[in-house]
Structures are given as structure tokens and as C-alpha cells.
């Protein structure tokens, strides 16, 4: 599944006439539509010099979490740790921000430009414990590829 999506992602990123946001939105939609356990797919980016994340392009249900302080929730923790965070069961996490009562699991992978963590891709799943090492590797590919257009 992931190997067949890689060329599609690369093709989207080559659309130089499109803005980076438009291309990231298309990637979010592709992932949400193509991977059964990806129910919400979005990017968050550092909000200027502030210690907070600002919601970028996403596909899925609207969210109230358009700004997330560093350290808060899974996304806020990744902003500080610079490491992938896989949460098999969101109910088992103390520092979790609930986006929907349907979300059972989450994975967040940081996005680096010039060695600096400038954002992340965030995936919510309504399926308990769906994420594997293959998801992590694929999302690392996504963040590296997207970093080339930012």
C-alpha cells in the first residue's frame, strides 16, 4: 500500500504551479482516502517565533485545535522532543488532547527543514492500535519530501 502511494506523493509535490499549502492539502486527502486507518490527516507548523503550533492543511473532520502550545498533547510533545510519537491507545495517554470521541490512536512525525523542527504530520485513527513501523517509515518519507517544497 505505502509503496504505491510514494510515486503519487512525489507527483503531487512536483506540481510547482500549486502553492505548498495546496500540495500538502492534496497529500492529506490522498492519505486519508487511500489508507483505511487514517481518519484525519493534517500538518501543524510552528507559529513564527511563538512556542505553539498552528494548524495547516488537513483532511478530515474540522477541529477546534487550530493552535496547540508546545508540550501540550501529542503534537505539542513532538514539537519539543523532535521525535516520532506513536500512541496505540489515546485513552492511556495523560497528556492527550481529544479531537473526537472516535479517535482511538494517533501518530505524529516531525518535519525538519535545515535541521530545525518546523512542524509535523499528525494522523488520527478511529481504529485501535493500527500503526506499524511501516506507517512510521512512510510518514518520515512524507515529511522529508514535503520539507523540499518549504
Amino acid at each position: 500500500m505505502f509503496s504505491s502511494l510514494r510515486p503519487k506523493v512525489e507527483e503531487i509535490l512536483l506540481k510547482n504551479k500549486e502553492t505548498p499549502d495546496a500540495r500538502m492539502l492534496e497529500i492529506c486527502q490522498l492519505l486519508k482516502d487511500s489508507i483505511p486507518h487514517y481518519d484525519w490527516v493534517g500538518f501543524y507548523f510552528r507559529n513564527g517565533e511563538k512556542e505553539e503550533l498552528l494548524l495547516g492543511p488537513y483532511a478530515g473532520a474540522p477541529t477546534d485545535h487550530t493552535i496547540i502550545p508546545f508540550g501540550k498533547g501529542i503534537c505539542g510533545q513532538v514539537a519539543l522532543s523532535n521525535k516520532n510519537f506513536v500512541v496505540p491507545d489515546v485513552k492511556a495517554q495523560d497528556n492527550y488532547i481529544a479531537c473526537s470521541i472516535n479517535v482511538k490512536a494517533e501518530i505524529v512525525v516531525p518535519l525538519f527543514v535545515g535541521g530545525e523542527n518546523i512542524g509535523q504530520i499528525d494522523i488520527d485513527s478511529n481504529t485501535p492500535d493500527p500503526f506499524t513501523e511501516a506507517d512510521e517509515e512512510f510518514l518520515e518519507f512524507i515529511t522529508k519530501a514535503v520539507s523540499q517544497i518549504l
Side-chain angles (χ1 to χ4, degrees), residues 1-13 26-38 135 138-139 141-142 145:
M1 168 176 44
F2 296 123
S3 58
S4 66
L5 290 174
R6 283 178 184 244
K8 293 177 182 175
V9 168
E10 289 167 339
E11 190 179 307
I12 291 167
L13 292 173
E26 194 173 338
I27 288 168
C28 291
Q29 201 63 57
L30 173 71
L31 299 187
K32 183 182 177 299
D33 293 346
S34 304
I35 304 170
H37 59 280
Y38 286 17
D135 289 277
F138 179 65
L139 294 172
F141 156 76
I142 298 280

Side-chain angles (χ1 to χ4, degrees), residues 1-2 14 17 20 25 31-32 34 45 54 68 73 77-78 91 94 96 108-109 119 121 137 144-145:
M1 168 176 44
F2 296 123
L14 288 173
K17 292 185 175 137
L25 179 60
L31 299 187
K32 183 182 177 299
S34 304
F45 290 97
L54 190 59
I68 299 175
Q77 291 177 73
V78 169
K91 288 189 177 123
D94 292 339
Y96 171 69
V108 179
V109 175
I121 190 166
E137 288 170 8
K144 283 182 187 127

Side-chain angles (χ1 to χ4, degrees), residues 63-142:
T63 178
D64 293 336
H65 303 114
T66 55
I67 294 178
I68 299 175
F70 281 17
K72 184 136 175 66
I74 309 308
C75 291
Q77 291 177 73
V78 169
L80 295 175
S81 74
N82 300 323
K83 293 187 170 103
N84 299 353
F85 199 156
V86 181
V87 181
D89 177 5
V90 295
K91 288 189 177 123
Q93 278 295 317
D94 292 339
N95 190 0
Y96 171 69
I97 303 171
C99 293
S100 158
I101 58 165
N102 298 322
V103 175
K104 305 282 187 269
E106 183 173 9
I107 184 171
V108 179
V109 175
L111 193 157
F112 297 94
V113 172
E116 183 184 351
N117 181 351
I118 63 143
Q120 54 201 227
I121 190 166
D122 177 24
I123 315 286
D124 288 346
S125 181
N126 299 344
T127 306
D129 195 11
F131 302 115
T132 66
E133 206 171 283
D135 289 277
E136 261 189 280
E137 288 170 8
F138 179 65
L139 294 172
E140 287 170 356
F141 156 76
I142 298 280

